[in-house]
Amino acid sequence: MAIVVKKLVKNAYFLYKMELVAGRNGLNNLVQWVHIIEDDAVSPFLHGYELVFTAGILNKSEHWLLDFAKKLNLSGVSAFVVNLGPHTKEIPKEVAEYCDQVNMPLFTIPWETRMVDMTRDFCRRIMVNDNVENSMATTIKNIIFKVGDLESQILQMERNGYKRSDTFCFISLKVEGNERSDNEEYMDKFAIYAEKTARKIHELFISFTYKENIVFVLVDYADEEIESFVKDFLEYVKKEKCESLVHLGISSNQPGIYNQEQNFERSISAMEMAEKQKEMVLYYDHLSVYKILYSVKEKSVLRSFYNDTIGLLETYDRENNTGLVSLLKTYLENNGSLQLVSEKMFIHRNTVTNQLKKIESVTGFNPMELEDKVKLYLGFYIRDIL
């Protein structure tokens, strides 16, 4: 959890005479903590997402502040504040230009403002914000899983700026790491980037863990804004060279806090399908027939249908070392064309016909009849979600 710069420094002009000099486009950067740093040699020890204060006590050269700003940016600092006075009398033009270029907000405060008072205040604000964010995560989970009184939960959200009429979109994220430590490292990294990306669009954002996955909740986002968020996030994943590790499931963008548990389940279903199909992202609304199958609560019904169709063929293939399942799938995917199946599987057309007859004898369904063809195709769809 973190707080955006503009929210953290709210009212700081009136309280501390703090002024924004440069980096306005970075006001939505996230801040996780605050530090006072005078020696730029310690910048490599920063974790990133900090707001840094300095008076420039070691500012003895013309380019010291610019070099300091560059090192802070390299360390992932979100913003920094210069205490103007005997050590740093003004902000050089090139420093302001650099901060504008890298979208790192640069603020100034007068010498009489005590940095220790500001850091104490800002750290308190960060902790209060973390408590609110954790509370919202717990509240939305309680609503989804029907824990406690629904109306009380909704009122709790409304007190923090969320409306019961808002739209809610759930994005479930699964990360496949080689080891548990790798998985946790990626999860932390992706979670903070997702929050950073989302809060550039809207402030209403919630995240929580579910089993071994992370769920992002985009509240009051338009459809195109959700697509923009997903696109930006996937570009980051590719930049980190983690395409094969990440699977995203996107729910519908549904209005109203009531009955959002079903919408949450849609994101999980889409994520599971993305993992099975080796896709980075799948939108629930694009799942076509899978949406119908996922809505079936009694999975035993689906399992029974599968066992009576494709399951029979898989058993026959195992016992007889044949490839009827592969041939049937190729046949269905090519719209029942005997010629295309013959070409793609490098077998004679008559062999294809004989194999289809064998499939009918094993399952009782004729792949060349429309109704039976649909049933067999449905068996493959069911296999994908079981």
Side-chain angles (χ1 to χ4, degrees):
M1 297 292 182
I3 186 172
V4 295
V5 174
K6 65 181 178 182
K7 185 176 180 181
L8 178 62
V9 304
K10 186 179 180 181
N11 301 325
Y13 172 78
F14 301 102
L15 295 174
Y16 307 111
K17 298 180 181 178
M18 183 178 183
E19 295 186 359
L20 176 65
V21 176
R24 180 174 298 275
N25 289 336
L27 288 176
N28 283 315
N29 291 347
L30 296 179
V31 178
Q32 291 184 319
W33 203 240
V34 178
H35 294 291
I36 297 176
I37 296 178
E38 297 298 345
D39 187 352
D40 60 6
V42 305
S43 60
F45 295 96
L46 294 171
H47 293 287
Y49 298 105
E50 291 100 348
L51 184 145
V52 169
F53 285 82
T54 186
I57 293 175
L58 299 181
N59 189 359
K60 307 298 183 183
S61 64
E62 181 180 356
H63 300 293
W64 183 88
L65 191 59
L66 178 60
D67 293 338
F68 183 78
K70 289 181 177 179
K71 289 180 180 179
L72 292 182
N73 182 60
L74 189 63
S75 297
V77 166
S78 298
F80 78 111
V81 182
V82 178
N83 193 189
L84 297 179
H87 306 293
T88 305
K89 294 181 171 58
E90 61 181 3
I91 303 298
K93 180 181 178 181
E94 61 269 21
V95 176
E97 290 176 345
Y98 174 76
C99 290
D100 280 331
Q101 176 187 342
V102 298
N103 297 326
M104 182 170 64
L106 166 61
F107 301 91
T108 60
I109 53 175
W111 184 249
E112 60 268 21
T113 298
R114 298 174 60 180
M115 288 191 292
V116 66
D117 292 337
M118 292 189 68
T119 55
R120 180 183 299 172
D121 180 25
F122 283 5
C123 289
R124 180 190 62 80
R125 295 188 193 194
I126 291 172
M127 289 188 289
V128 168
N129 184 77
D130 281 352
N131 288 336
V132 171
E133 297 296 333
N134 289 330
S135 175
M136 288 299 93
T138 300
T139 301
I140 193 68
K141 285 196 288 185
N142 288 343
I143 291 173
I144 292 171
F145 300 118
K146 299 185 182 302
V147 177
D149 179 66
L150 176 60
E151 190 62 26
S152 298
Q153 308 285 358
I154 294 175
L155 290 175
Q156 171 72 5
M157 295 195 69
E158 289 183 327
R159 283 193 289 269
N160 289 283
Y162 298 84
K163 300 191 295 290
R164 65 185 68 204
S165 59
D166 283 337
T167 57
F168 290 78
C169 176
F170 295 85
I171 300 178
S172 293
L173 167 67
K174 181 179 182 66
V175 179
E176 298 179 282
N178 294 326
E179 299 179 3
R180 184 175 181 84
S181 59
D182 292 340
N183 185 282
E184 292 177 350
E185 179 182 351
Y186 283 128
M187 295 282 265
D188 291 342
K189 184 185 298 185
F190 293 147
I192 190 67
Y193 188 82
E195 183 175 2
K196 175 182 177 181
T197 303
R199 294 199 189 276
K200 286 181 180 178
I201 304 172
H202 277 303
E203 187 174 336
L204 300 183
F205 171 84
I206 302 171
S207 68
F208 60 87
T209 57
Y210 175 71
K211 296 183 178 178
E212 296 182 351
N213 310 312
I214 302 180
V215 179
F216 309 128
V217 190
L218 306 185
V219 184
D220 200 29
Y221 288 61
D223 291 346
E224 58 270 20
E225 290 173 331
I226 294 171
E227 292 178 2
S228 176
F229 167 84
V230 173
K231 180 181 178 182
D232 193 316
F233 184 81
L234 292 181
E235 286 177 355
Y236 174 75
V237 170
K238 291 177 182 177
K239 180 181 175 182
E240 293 292 312
K241 296 181 171 56
C242 300
E243 296 97 319
S244 63
L245 302 178
V246 172
H247 307 289
L248 284 178
I250 320 296
S251 78
S252 304
N253 193 25
Q254 181 175 305
I257 190 61
Y258 301 98
N259 301 317
Q260 286 293 338
E261 68 275 8
Q262 183 183 45
N263 205 28
F264 162 72
E265 291 173 358
R266 290 171 179 170
S267 72
I268 298 296
S269 297
M271 179 194 69
E272 291 174 348
M273 182 56 64
E275 181 183 12
K276 290 177 180 179
Q277 295 185 354
K278 306 300 182 183
E279 298 283 350
M280 287 182 65
V281 59
L282 278 179
Y283 287 79
Y284 179 83
D285 290 341
H286 300 168
L287 287 181
S288 62
V289 70
Y290 290 115
K291 291 196 293 185
I292 300 173
L293 298 177
Y294 273 118
S295 68
V296 177
K297 298 299 182 182
E298 295 186 28
K299 298 304 178 185
S300 60
V301 174
L302 298 179
R303 173 68 66 178
S304 176
F305 189 94
Y306 161 76
N307 288 336
D308 291 339
T309 54
I310 305 306
L312 291 173
L313 282 183
E314 289 183 331
T315 300
Y316 184 89
D317 279 346
R318 284 195 302 271
E319 294 176 350
N320 297 277
N321 195 28
T322 53
L324 296 181
V325 172
S326 177
L327 182 137
L328 176 61
K329 198 166 193 306
T330 303
Y331 173 77
L332 295 175
E333 289 176 344
N334 288 276
N335 200 28
S337 171
L338 299 178
Q339 184 62 36
L340 287 176
V341 176
S342 173
E343 294 173 358
K344 290 189 175 185
M345 300 196 72
F346 305 102
I347 56 178
H348 195 276
R349 180 168 174 159
N350 290 341
T351 303
V352 176
T353 302
N354 292 333
Q355 295 284 62
L356 293 175
K357 290 179 180 179
K358 173 60 71 174
I359 289 171
E360 181 182 9
S361 69
V362 172
T363 65
F365 299 108
N366 183 358
M368 305 185 78
E369 293 288 339
L370 178 59
E371 184 175 347
D372 287 354
K373 185 187 297 184
V374 171
K375 292 176 181 177
L376 291 168
Y377 219 142
L378 189 58
F380 278 112
Y381 278 116
I382 292 173
R383 184 179 70 166
D384 289 340
I385 70 172
L386 290 177

